[in-house]
Amino acid sequence: MERSRMWSPLLIATLIAIGCGGGKPQEASATPDAPEGRPVQVAEAPAGAQPAVGGSSAVIQGTVTLDGQAPKPATLKMSADPVCQQAHSSPVYAEDVVASAQGQLKNVFVYVKDGVSGTYPAPATPVMLDQNGCVYKPHVFGIQVNQPLEVANSDPTAHNVNAKPTANTPFNTAQPSNKAPKVKKAFAKPEVMVKFKCNIHPWMSAYAGVVAHPFFGVSGDDGSFTISGLPAGTYTVEAWHEKYGTQTQSVTVGDGESESVNFTFKAQ
Amino acid sequence: MTHLNSVFFFHQARHVDAHGPLRYNALYTFMICRCQCIRWFPPAQIQMSLWAAALFAGLLTWGVAPAWAERPSPDAAAGRAAYDQYCARCHGASGKGDGVDAKRFYPRPRDLTMGVYKIRSTASGTPPTDQDLFDIITKGLPGSNMPDWQQLDEPTRWALVDYLKSLSPAFEQTQPVPIELPQDPGLRRVDLKKGKALYEQLACAACHGAAGRANGPSAAGLVDDWNMPIRPADLSQGWSYRGGNEAKAILTRLLAGIDGAGMPSYIDTITAMEHTTLEDAWHLAYYIASLQEPAHWNMIARARWISGALPSTPDDPAWTSVESTDVRVRNVVTAVGEWANPPTVRAIRFQVVANHEAMAIRLTWDDPTQDPQADAEASSPAPDAVALVLKPAGSQGDVVTLQAWPYAEAPKLDVSYWASDLERPREMVANDFETFVARPMADRNDVGALSSAAKYEDGRWTVVVQRPLAPVEPDGAAAIDPGAFTAVAFAIWDGGNPTARAVSSWVDLVLHQATHAAE
Ligand SMILES: [Cu+2]
């Protein structure tokens, strides 16, 4: 009951946004099914027209590198909660800096900061965040404005999902066990980044990049990221790292082209 | 810390803590009166009449003030002036929670510029309503050092509400989302068994403990939103619930969460559960309320005077008919005035049975960990311990805590020290506070005159110490006179929280009421 009251303005806003394009209501279910990275410019689409996707085929990809010796990762001490301790047979390390021997830097959130025009409705597909072995999985992720977020607890112990945004409304929701329902939330405004923490297990943290469009990615084990489905244009791309801060680069990419943007963070 | 300061804080803090709704300035007067006139009136009479008056005043003021509160038009100048005069001392000139007295306190005064408020009736992450803020100012936060401000007239309190809101952008950025409570089933239709089941299902015990004594397995590792260690509430201590201890207040905390403190909101959790409705949360709220134990903050503690043998074990049925007195304990502030750790022991309850030869005192206090642990893998080598400090001459109006001991010409203190690793308690004479606060206690003597029995169960120590009325140490304090006031105070150590040691203020104890009244 409470929830529906809280959500109703959001629902109305979504309906209005859909209404702007003149599309029929059922398109609301059609548009969010668009795969991530495929822009759906509802606002600019003429009445009754199919969402414009043609021509949005530019790609920005690259690799994030750490210049210098990565700090030795801290071993997470989970002895405070035997359930967490027993979930692991080998040491678990903090994920604030994860770099390969070659310096490929993982968990960097890369997104188009400026240059994107048009409206990109949130996909209906939720972004999943799991608490597993008393660690957030994934540690860094991207999510679109108003896209559903579902936080699961896979541990037979209590967590509290405590999100600390500043532009968005914070929340701290209990998730008493792996039998507890998922915590379902969404962020109404862009914000890079939103931190998640658990007051019961102080070592737990995760970061979400909330962006108004689908043009973002997170660097993987090999430090690489890919942002695809962009319209041709000139963009400012920002890379965020939990410890090393942010960097931006400008890039111009044409239809069907793939431009490479590499970032290098200096180890402190 | 100066003597004067400690007197001031003793008055302010103790009475606010123990009796949230009471006006501390009124109690200040009350205390002074008590200290001066106690010599000329039988204690029972004073106690009865003053307590009745105080209780009545408390009932009158608690909870009803806002009902007719008409909100005046905003007065920025008045708000600022009142803030500077009454709030800045703790919350700081700019509201950052860094006032001159801030470091003395646990919990710390709130940083008001962040706009994060614990006691709200609104959805987690949204600011409190104006009424929430007004209520906090009006009622204070029991169990903390935030007093109630009923001494300020209502327009001033409303002006403060507006001023507080101006200190943080949170109020402009986010609107409060008030939580609508489901219909209260009332005491008659409440099912405490359902409440208990929810307490388990929602893992309340993980932090608050199975019996609510703040001893859950996760209690020691909790942090607040700024990664500072924080302890869960001891739910058996109803007087320490910051936002009030009635079922409605408890339900509000459950659904809204306590922002900043780690206590999450359960509204979404319960709403999404199968076979459970939000209405069922009332059962839990009433169940939590049922965990509270009444506290008796007696100014004068009376022993039961008997002619036979004294009770010697914690579970002796004789204790059930003995008056109990609760005393707040406060953590000792280190030299620089910083808290080392959040306190784990917040109060102690005692009962006394005496005869012509000796006295037996039963001490009960909540301590989340038994130290040293019975098993070999003790996480902490330090024992849990308590010192029963006796001052045979009575408190004589001495209202300072043990921390400020001694003052000029202070008498010697008679200390009976019990520790979980000792076979029996030890007796010592202390000239000053540091003598018995410092570990190890080099000059404690195992004189064999004292005996004890103890048990630890569900996060609670119950210890019985028996000691003779005659001085135990040859050069010790005077013998205890059953008909006169004997001042008692306590120092408590939690081995699992070794930097936190707590001391109480003095309470006057009368062993033999008849002897005393006949004087
Ligand atoms: Cu957790």
Side-chain angles (χ1 to χ4, degrees):
Chain A
M1 194 172 74
E2 282 308 316
R3 173 183 292 180
S4 65
R5 221 161 51 77
M6 283 169 64
W7 282 101
S8 55
L10 206 148
L11 201 71
I12 291 163
T14 313
L15 288 172
I16 289 168
I18 290 161
C20 284
K24 299 182 191 93
Q26 56 261 41
E27 278 176 24
S29 61
T31 45
D33 285 337
E36 200 172 286
R38 244 173 101 200
V40 186
Q41 289 170 299
V42 172
E44 289 170 11
Q50 286 297 307
V53 288
S56 296
S57 55
V59 173
I60 297 171
Q61 45 78 32
T63 302
V64 189
T65 312
L66 183 65
D67 176 14
Q69 185 70 42
K72 203 169 170 273
T75 309
L76 302 181
K77 289 191 188 72
M78 299 190 179
S79 55
D81 191 333
V83 172
C84 306
Q85 182 110 319
Q86 284 157 19
H88 303 277
S89 51
S90 52
V92 187
Y93 298 104
E95 293 179 277
D96 53 345
V97 179
V98 181
S100 70
Q102 293 77 40
Q104 297 150 327
L105 190 59
K106 192 186 176 182
N107 285 338
V108 176
F109 182 69
V110 187
Y111 71 108
V112 177
K113 189 178 187 181
D114 286 314
V116 176
S117 59
T119 308
Y120 295 87
T125 319
V127 171
M128 305 297 292
L129 175 62
D130 193 17
Q131 298 160 103
N132 196 326
C134 302
V135 175
Y136 282 110
K137 290 176 182 174
H139 182 64
V140 175
F141 62 95
I143 185 168
Q144 235 179 286
V145 167
N146 291 336
Q147 183 175 9
L149 169 69
E150 294 191 7
V151 190
N153 180 358
S154 298
D155 296 321
T157 191
H159 296 294
N160 65 299
V161 185
N162 191 346
K164 314 286 296 166
T166 50
N168 287 283
T169 304
F171 59 86
N172 180 6
T173 301
Q175 208 167 27
S177 76
N178 48 5
K179 295 190 191 78
K182 290 193 179 92
V183 172
K184 296 179 181 179
K185 296 283 178 183
F187 296 101
K189 293 173 194 162
E191 184 167 0
V192 176
M193 307 287 282
V194 174
K195 185 175 182 180
F196 288 72
K197 67 174 280 174
C198 173
N199 297 78
I200 302 168
H201 310 110
W203 61 81
M204 292 176 68
S205 67
Y207 294 87
V210 187
V211 184
H213 51 69
F215 307 118
F216 54 80
V218 178
S219 66
D221 290 334
D222 61 356
S224 74
F225 66 91
T226 305
I227 299 169
S228 55
L230 273 161
T234 298
Y235 300 105
T236 305
V237 180
E238 182 170 88
W240 171 96
H241 185 268
E242 176 177 352
K243 188 159 181 203
Y244 301 122
T246 55
Q247 288 183 10
T248 52
Q249 287 188 44
S250 185
V251 61
T252 301
V253 61
D255 282 337
E257 288 178 10
S258 178
E259 281 296 325
S260 183
V261 178
N262 297 316
F263 292 93
T264 303
F265 287 96
K266 266 217 158 345
Q268 291 152 357
Chain B
M1 179 196 316
T2 68
H3 184 82
L4 201 70
N5 251 346
S6 28
V7 172
F8 174 76
F9 280 104
F10 166 76
H11 278 295
Q12 183 173 356
R14 174 170 175 170
H15 293 289
V16 168
D17 279 8
H19 323 283
L22 301 183
R23 300 173 60 146
Y24 80 78
N25 55 348
L27 261 145
Y28 195 90
T29 322
F30 161 57
M31 276 295 296
I32 290 167
C33 162
R34 179 214 158 225
C35 300
Q36 290 169 349
C37 58
I38 203 87
R39 304 296 137 199
W40 304 294
F41 294 97
Q45 206 175 319
I46 296 171
Q47 199 181 339
M48 293 279 288
S49 57
L50 284 175
W51 277 112
L55 195 70
F56 184 64
L59 288 174
L60 273 184
T61 48
W62 179 266
V64 294
W68 61 80
E70 187 94 359
R71 180 150 187 192
S73 50
D75 186 342
R80 157 118 236 172
Y83 180 88
D84 289 345
Q85 190 173 352
Y86 304 109
C87 314
R89 186 171 176 137
C90 296
H91 292 286
S94 60
K96 288 190 72 66
D98 56 356
V100 288
D101 291 324
K103 285 182 174 179
R104 284 176 206 282
F105 298 147
Y106 179 87
R108 284 287 181 82
R110 197 104 294 230
D111 179 344
L112 303 167
T113 64
M114 290 192 286
V116 177
Y117 283 85
K118 289 181 180 174
I119 306 303
R120 296 163 295 102
S121 63
T122 56
S124 169
T126 68
T129 63
D130 289 5
Q131 188 68 53
D132 287 340
L133 292 174
F134 184 86
D135 288 349
I136 293 169
I137 296 169
T138 302
K139 297 176 182 176
L141 297 171
S144 82
N145 287 282
M146 168 75 181
D148 71 82
W149 293 97
Q150 287 169 37
Q151 58 177 334
L152 305 180
D153 60 23
E154 289 187 8
T156 308
R157 280 180 257 155
W158 280 118
L160 274 170
V161 169
D162 289 323
Y163 186 73
L164 295 188
K165 289 170 70 182
S166 76
L167 291 174
S168 171
F171 289 92
E172 288 197 351
Q173 207 172 1
T174 318
Q175 286 308 301
V177 179
I179 287 176
E180 257 176 66
L181 298 184
Q183 180 75 36
D184 183 351
L187 261 175
R188 266 202 210 159
R189 285 175 50 223
V190 146
D191 186 341
L192 292 183
K193 269 195 202 132
K194 261 191 198 167
K196 188 171 196 283
L198 271 176
Y199 188 86
E200 284 154 14
Q201 206 176 345
L202 295 175
C204 305
C207 299
H208 294 284
R213 294 174 190 156
N215 64 327
S218 294
L222 293 179
V223 293
D224 67 13
D225 283 5
W226 302 274
N227 276 340
M228 298 297 285
I230 191 169
R231 290 281 177 165
D234 184 330
L235 300 174
S236 75
Q237 297 174 339
W239 50 268
S240 73
Y241 289 29
R242 306 281 190 271
N245 58 15
E246 69 281 10
K248 186 183 171 190
I250 296 167
L251 182 65
T252 309
R253 299 293 88 73
L254 265 168
L255 299 186
I258 302 179
D259 281 359
M263 164 76 183
S265 155
Y266 282 81
I267 189 165
D268 289 355
T269 317
I270 295 171
T271 307
M273 274 164 72
E274 283 175 33
H275 315 301
T276 304
T277 65
L278 217 46
E279 282 73 18
D280 292 330
W282 275 106
H283 302 304
L284 175 55
Y286 277 102
Y287 174 72
I288 290 169
S290 78
L291 298 174
Q292 299 167 13
E293 299 168 20
H296 306 282
W297 311 103
N298 302 325
M299 292 300 177
I300 293 159
R302 285 168 301 188
R304 186 172 189 86
W305 185 258
I306 60 170
S307 51
L310 301 175
S312 59
T313 59
D315 293 325
D316 193 310
W319 292 114
T320 53
S321 57
V322 181
E323 178 190 275
S324 64
T325 296
D326 294 87
V327 189
R328 281 280 276 140
V329 295
R330 309 201 143 264
N331 266 28
V332 177
V333 181
T334 55
V336 285
E338 296 272 6
W339 292 112
N341 276 319
T344 36
V345 183
R346 298 166 173 112
I348 185 167
R349 176 173 303 152
F350 73 97
Q351 296 164 282
V352 183
V353 179
N355 59 27
H356 282 288
E357 304 274 288
M359 58 186 274
I361 183 162
R362 181 166 84 158
L363 307 167
T364 310
W365 73 97
D366 289 358
D367 173 336
T369 50
Q370 182 181 12
D371 311 289
Q373 302 268 316
D375 60 75
E377 285 181 46
S379 55
S380 158
D384 293 329
V386 63
L388 162 66
V389 187
L390 297 176
K391 193 171 71 163
S395 72
Q396 297 183 20
D398 184 358
V399 291
V400 300
T401 69
L402 282 175
Q403 288 180 59
W405 195 267
Y407 54 83
E409 294 170 40
K412 282 181 177 174
L413 300 175
D414 180 324
V415 181
S416 302
Y417 175 86
W418 171 92
S420 57
D421 63 340
L422 292 178
E423 252 176 56
R424 58 166 163 255
R426 291 175 176 181
E427 186 69 11
M428 62 174 291
V429 176
N431 291 309
D432 60 67
F433 179 66
E434 283 303 318
T435 311
F436 68 87
V437 160
R439 278 182 202 267
M441 295 171 54
D443 57 348
R444 62 191 186 187
N445 296 317
D446 188 357
V447 294
L450 274 56
S451 64
S452 69
K455 74 163 184 181
Y456 183 85
E457 206 172 80
D458 268 345
R460 175 170 293 178
W461 277 110
T462 310
V463 175
V464 174
V465 174
Q466 282 193 15
R467 52 152 298 143
L469 300 187
V472 180
E473 289 267 333
D475 65 338
I480 296 164
D481 177 355
F485 285 115
T486 298
V488 296
F490 305 91
I492 305 175
W493 294 262
D494 172 6
N497 189 4
T499 56
R501 36 180 212 226
V503 294
S504 78
S505 52
W506 295 105
V507 175
D508 278 332
L509 168 69
V510 183
L511 292 185
H512 193 190
Q513 194 72 47
T515 318
H516 184 79
E519 262 183 333

